[in-house]
């Protein structure tokens, strides 16, 4: 997870968000008053108005095609989710709020992990939002050369809660991420030994479009590389 600067709000949201929200809140009210299939469908239809192409494109560009949470590349294997940081089921007023939308992978945002969870302060929340907070305040991105594993370690209560609820150390993710970070660590070591080509490569690996760039940044700091 890295800090990402939010881009300008997509035109479809700017033009329609007020009406969409009014329609959505009314549809929720109608369904709660009369929970028949027709009203459920109308609620879902009103809710899904955020799924506009310009919204998805803006999020893909903003996050460089990576999951906002686990930093895995999505575009070549997945469409990704327009993710509501505050779940729309609990915070319907933020359903069309541009500042509440992220790009997420199906697993971080899926039923086994984040889903509709949003812990409050009393529950060691809220989750870390990479568009407004520096993830390095909450996590250590640690590569262990003895085990060859790359782990995201919470540095405080919110970091620990976020790591757990997003599954940032789930086995399949660790396996894939560690293969990549092992190579990054090798380049960082070579750069620290004076290899100029390795130093040039590290300058590329810390860029925000690179997969698991948080680990590249962490390794660069660990080896005192001047990038």
């Amino acid at each position: 997870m890295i800090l990402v600067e939010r881009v300008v709000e997509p035109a479809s949201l700017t033009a329609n968000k007020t009406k969409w929200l009014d329609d959505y809140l009314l549809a929720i009210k109608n369904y709660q008053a009369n929970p028949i299939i027709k009203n459920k469908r109308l609620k879902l239809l009103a809710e899904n108005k955020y799924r506009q192409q310009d919204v998805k494109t803006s999020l893909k560009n903003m996050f460089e095609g990576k999951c906002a949470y686990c930093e895995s590349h999505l575009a070549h294997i997945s469409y990704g989710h327009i993710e509501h940081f505050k779940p729309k089921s609990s915070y319907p007023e933020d359903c069309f709020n541009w500042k509440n939308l992220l790009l997420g992978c199906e697993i971080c945002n899926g039923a086994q992990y984040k889903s509709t969870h949003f812990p409050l302060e009393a529950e060691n929340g809220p989750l870390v939002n990479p568009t407004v907070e520096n993830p390095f305040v909450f996590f250590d991105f640690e590569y262990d050369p003895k085990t060859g594993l790359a782990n995201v370690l919470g540095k405080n209560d919110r970091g620990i809660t976020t790591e757990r609820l997003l599954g940032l150390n789930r086995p399949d993710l660790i396996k894939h991420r560690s293969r990549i970070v092992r190579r990054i660590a090798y380049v960082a070591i070579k750069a620290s030994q004076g290899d100029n080509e390795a130093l040039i490569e590290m300058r590329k690996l810390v860029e925000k479009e690179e997969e698991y760039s948080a680990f590249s940044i962490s390794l660069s700091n660990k080896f005192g590389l001047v990038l």
Side-chain angles (χ1 to χ4, degrees):
M1 192 185 296
I2 58 170
L3 181 63
V4 174
E5 183 177 356
R6 188 167 290 279
V7 300
V8 66
E9 181 179 68
S12 66
L13 285 180
T14 303
N16 299 295
K17 61 185 178 183
T18 300
K19 183 180 186 307
W20 287 347
L21 181 58
D22 289 343
D23 292 345
Y24 180 42
L25 295 178
L26 178 60
I28 292 173
K29 182 178 179 180
N30 290 338
Y31 177 67
Q32 290 173 340
N34 188 14
I36 60 176
I37 293 177
K38 177 184 176 181
N39 285 344
K40 182 177 182 180
R41 288 174 178 167
L42 289 173
K43 181 177 78 71
L44 289 174
L45 183 64
E47 177 182 291
N48 288 336
K49 291 290 180 63
Y50 70 86
R51 295 181 177 179
Q52 302 297 313
Q53 186 57 51
D54 65 338
V55 175
K56 189 66 169 290
T57 298
S58 292
L59 289 171
K60 282 185 176 180
N61 292 338
M62 186 168 87
F63 289 100
E64 302 288 345
K66 299 192 299 184
C67 173
Y69 299 129
C70 72
E71 268 205 286
S72 297
H73 280 146
L74 299 175
H76 63 299
I77 57 169
S78 168
Y79 291 108
H81 285 177
I82 298 176
E83 143 73 349
H84 289 79
F85 180 67
K86 290 184 176 180
K88 55 187 179 293
S89 57
S90 301
Y91 300 89
E93 67 277 8
D94 285 318
C95 185
F96 309 105
N97 179 357
W98 175 232
K99 293 182 179 179
N100 192 46
L101 302 182
L102 308 175
L103 182 67
C105 72
E106 287 90 339
I107 301 181
C108 284
N109 192 41
Q112 187 175 353
Y113 293 105
K114 181 177 183 287
S115 186
T116 59
H117 297 298
F118 194 75
L120 301 178
E121 185 176 354
E123 304 165 303
N124 294 327
L127 302 178
V128 178
N129 185 338
T131 65
V132 296
E133 301 172 296
N134 186 348
F136 281 87
V137 173
F138 301 93
F139 307 107
D140 282 323
F141 300 92
E142 182 180 274
Y143 174 69
D144 185 344
K146 292 182 179 179
T147 63
L149 297 179
N151 289 287
V152 178
L153 304 178
K155 296 167 67 172
N156 46 46
D157 288 341
R158 286 183 62 202
I160 292 169
T161 298
T162 302
E163 179 278 313
R164 177 178 57 82
L165 280 180
L166 297 178
L168 296 181
N169 290 315
R170 55 187 183 265
D172 287 341
L173 175 57
I174 286 182
K175 184 177 180 180
H176 173 72
R177 184 173 64 206
S178 296
R179 282 198 297 263
I180 293 173
V181 175
R182 277 197 294 271
R183 299 187 188 106
I184 297 171
Y186 175 78
V187 175
I189 291 170
K190 295 291 286 184
S192 72
Q193 295 171 343
D195 187 318
N196 191 56
E197 289 187 6
L199 184 62
I200 292 172
E201 183 64 17
M202 282 303 298
R203 288 172 180 157
K204 298 176 183 177
L205 291 171
V206 298
E207 293 296 324
K208 63 180 183 178
E209 66 266 21
E210 294 294 325
E211 201 166 29
Y212 313 123
S213 55
F215 285 88
S216 296
I217 295 169
S218 181
L219 284 163
S220 295
N221 292 336
K222 178 180 179 179
F223 288 103
L225 302 178
V226 179
L227 304 177

